[in-house]
Amino acid sequence: MAYDRLVAICDPLHYTVIMNPRLCGLVVLVSFFIGLLESQLHVSMVSQLTFCTDVEVPSFFCDPSQLFNLACSDTSTNAILIYCIGAVFGGVPGLVILFSYTRIISSILKVSFSSGKYKAFSTCGSHLSVVCLFYGTGLGVYFSSAVSSSARKGAVASVMYTVVTPMLNPFIYSLRNRDIKRALQKLFSRIF
């Protein structure tokens, strides 16, 4: 999404050429395989652990860090790997998003008329708010659970990035559409 916004704002005349269906499919495929690789890394780390009997996970979200806290074997190497994996799989996309928004903001500031600036900022604002909500809570849960955080705070943050953020996405992006806004206004005018 950050690359899509970067191309749409910084190079709008070439948008349809750059963001073709083939590139979009490739981005989705690469994202899928990166997620699959990360999950396999976690599964292989957890499968090497030994657990005591009568172990109960104190959270509804079975995070590898939660399992490391319950293991009977030494998990210091696993904690280091968690931070390394988090830095690579969370940090690299975060840096790419930061870089793209730096370029977007510098391009927007070069626009001379204020209506163009407003439209560009509103286009990026919804995406950036969802990204901040997702990354903030996701990385917070991912890194803080290795340090032993409160189970309740971890559960709230887990719900934020696993349930709330995906639910907000369709609302945020569809409410920007004029047709959706008109349909909602008609619906509410009939009701009230």
Side-chain angles (χ1 to χ4, degrees), residues 35-114:
L36 188 64
L37 173 67
E38 184 183 14
S39 68
Q40 292 306 309
L41 286 171
H42 288 301
V43 167
S44 66
M45 284 191 315
V46 170
S47 67
Q48 302 298 318
L49 298 175
T50 56
F51 294 95
C52 304
T53 57
D54 296 331
V55 174
E56 184 177 320
V57 178
S59 177
F60 71 95
F61 191 69
C62 195
D63 207 18
S65 300
Q66 296 283 341
L67 295 174
F68 295 155
N69 292 335
L70 300 174
C72 293
S73 56
D74 181 35
T75 61
S76 58
T77 314
N78 292 353
I80 293 169
L81 283 173
I82 281 283
Y83 287 117
C84 292
I85 290 170
V88 171
F89 289 108
V92 171
L95 288 174
V96 169
I97 291 170
L98 187 66
F99 171 75
S100 69
Y101 273 99
T102 303
R103 294 244 349 249
I104 287 170
I105 289 171
S106 68
S107 294
I108 291 172
L109 293 176
K110 291 177 187 174
V111 174
S112 59
F113 51 97
S114 61

Side-chain angles (χ1 to χ4, degrees), residues 25-40 89:
L26 181 67
V27 167
V28 168
L29 195 63
V30 167
S31 298
F32 173 76
F33 280 117
I34 288 173
L36 188 64
L37 173 67
E38 184 183 14
S39 68
Q40 292 306 309
F89 289 108

